[in-house]
Amino acid sequence: MTTTESRMPSATIEMEQVTPNVFTNTKLRGCNPSFVVTSDGVVVIDTPQLPTRAVAMREAAEKHGPIRYLINTENHVDHIFGNYWFKGAGEIVNHKALWDIFMDPKAALDPFAYALEAIPTEDPDAAPLIPDRDEYYADLPRGTVVFTGDLLKLKVGDHTIDCHWTPGHTPGQLAVHVPEERVVFTGDTIFSGVQTWLMTSDIDQWLWALEVIRALDVDRVVPGHGPVTDLAYVDTQRAVLLEWTSAVAAAVAAGWTREETVERVNFADRYPVDVGQEYMMGYIQKHNAGSLYDKFTATPKPRALPA
Ligand SMILES: [Zn+2]
């Protein structure tokens, strides 16, 4: 464990050392922001949602060398809001399917407003760091290396950084595999020991994405949320997705209405919500069940098979 002090406004961030060159933080509100130290600078994977922690993590990362790349694993605000405080820090890697909906103002949860909701309770010192909405959107660093297809391979110093396209949780989802460290950063393809958000998801693709991750030769799995885990957790995540889908499929088969389904299908007792979002438990249950109900009762249309 290392603790890093930042300047104005002061905040600390404790990074957990996962391997000799891999650091993450699984205890913040937001995603698990991480970085990999190479012989030629640092690769950041997702940014802290809380502004003072974004500033502090950037400082912690830059102590090891210049930031070469910032990779976003998905478009949800808890993974990209902090990009603002990484201006000028290397190339930003996004899959094209992520880039297309980056800070999408049409999202069900307005990303800017949702990020600001956390400030008064979780990061009150951040107020002077936050620009107004227009300035934020105008200056927000977004993809400078935007790729299509299944894999982008980067070589940074002595490290290989393989960005696997793993759509499912979101369309532009990435899993970042670092073979030299025997680590994969899965983004929200894995929610470790916390509630799974699946309302913007394609579950068939997500199940396939889990198999892409399972096939990697790694010891440590850094999830999008919750504690660092290992490949055995792929089975647990698959079970969570299949339990939700079969419960809602059974509800549809039993002729329940959408209202009845949302009221009765509920996995709130299974896991807590990740840090700082406990108040979203009802929202998650309602929208997980409701979105699956809508998909299972939609007008039939041929579905594309996973690649
Ligand atoms: Zn997330």
Side-chain angles (χ1 to χ4, degrees):
M1 295 285 235
T2 54
T3 304
T4 308
E5 293 283 339
S6 80
R7 291 180 299 278
M8 205 303 283
S10 69
T12 57
I13 189 164
E14 265 194 15
M15 298 304 291
E16 173 186 343
Q17 189 166 13
V18 179
T19 69
N21 296 301
V22 166
F23 299 83
T24 189
N25 187 310
T26 66
K27 303 213 163 81
L28 290 173
R29 167 147 185 182
C31 69
N32 292 338
S34 308
F35 60 80
V36 182
V37 176
T38 82
S39 57
D40 187 32
V42 181
V43 177
V44 172
I45 296 136
D46 288 337
T47 50
Q49 176 186 328
L50 302 176
T52 65
R53 305 320 193 283
V55 171
M57 191 178 99
R58 179 174 179 170
E59 253 183 47
E62 287 177 338
K63 284 212 166 82
H64 299 276
I67 296 171
R68 298 290 181 209
Y69 293 96
L70 159 56
I71 302 167
N72 292 124
T73 62
E74 66 174 75
N75 65 295
H76 285 161
V77 70
D78 52 323
H79 300 255
I80 63 175
F81 186 73
N83 279 25
Y84 186 84
W85 294 277
F86 282 75
K87 266 180 280 188
E91 302 285 347
I92 299 178
V93 178
N94 290 168
H95 193 272
K96 174 71 161 55
L98 185 165
W99 191 83
D100 286 341
I101 50 173
F102 192 87
M103 285 298 279
D104 180 5
K106 296 193 295 295
L109 279 174
D110 174 77
F112 189 77
Y114 186 64
L116 290 199
E117 254 178 53
I119 302 301
T121 51
E122 309 283 333
D123 200 13
D125 293 344
L129 292 174
I130 304 172
D132 69 27
R133 188 186 182 98
D134 290 345
E135 198 184 330
Y136 177 87
Y137 275 89
D139 287 353
L140 180 62
R142 52 192 81 215
T144 56
V145 177
V146 178
F147 72 105
T148 56
D150 292 341
L151 176 65
L152 174 71
K153 231 178 198 337
L154 301 169
K155 194 80 192 162
V156 189
D158 298 329
H159 280 81
T160 313
I161 310 286
D162 285 340
C163 303
H164 292 269
W165 185 40
T166 47
H169 173 67
T170 65
Q173 203 73 29
L174 293 182
V176 182
H177 175 214
V178 186
E180 293 83 0
E181 303 292 323
R182 301 185 60 78
V183 168
V184 61
F185 303 86
T186 65
D188 290 3
T189 301
I190 292 188
F191 285 84
S192 156
V194 292
Q195 286 285 330
T196 294
W197 298 54
L198 51 75
M199 58 291 267
T200 62
S201 306
D202 182 315
I203 304 288
D204 297 341
Q205 288 186 330
W206 193 334
L207 292 168
W208 185 258
L210 287 172
E211 298 314 308
V212 172
I213 288 164
R214 191 199 299 281
L216 300 173
D217 187 18
V218 296
D219 299 322
R220 313 302 300 280
V221 170
V222 180
H225 297 270
V228 174
T229 183
D230 59 28
L231 281 179
Y233 203 85
V234 168
D235 287 336
T236 304
Q237 187 65 58
R238 178 172 62 184
V240 168
L241 297 180
L242 292 175
E243 281 183 286
W244 267 106
T245 48
S246 32
V248 176
V252 171
W256 296 0
T257 64
R258 190 180 197 281
E259 267 183 349
E260 288 165 338
T261 302
V262 165
E263 198 187 323
R264 295 174 192 169
V265 177
N266 188 301
F267 291 92
D269 59 354
R270 194 65 63 82
Y271 298 107
V273 183
D274 192 25
V275 185
Q277 295 178 95
E278 296 78 7
Y279 69 101
M280 296 299 280
M281 180 65 95
Y283 180 96
I284 296 168
Q285 303 306 311
K286 183 175 157 206
H287 289 273
N288 279 2
S291 66
L292 289 174
Y293 184 93
D294 292 341
K295 280 169 196 152
F296 291 162
T297 55
T299 310
K301 59 171 189 228
R303 294 178 59 85
L305 286 171

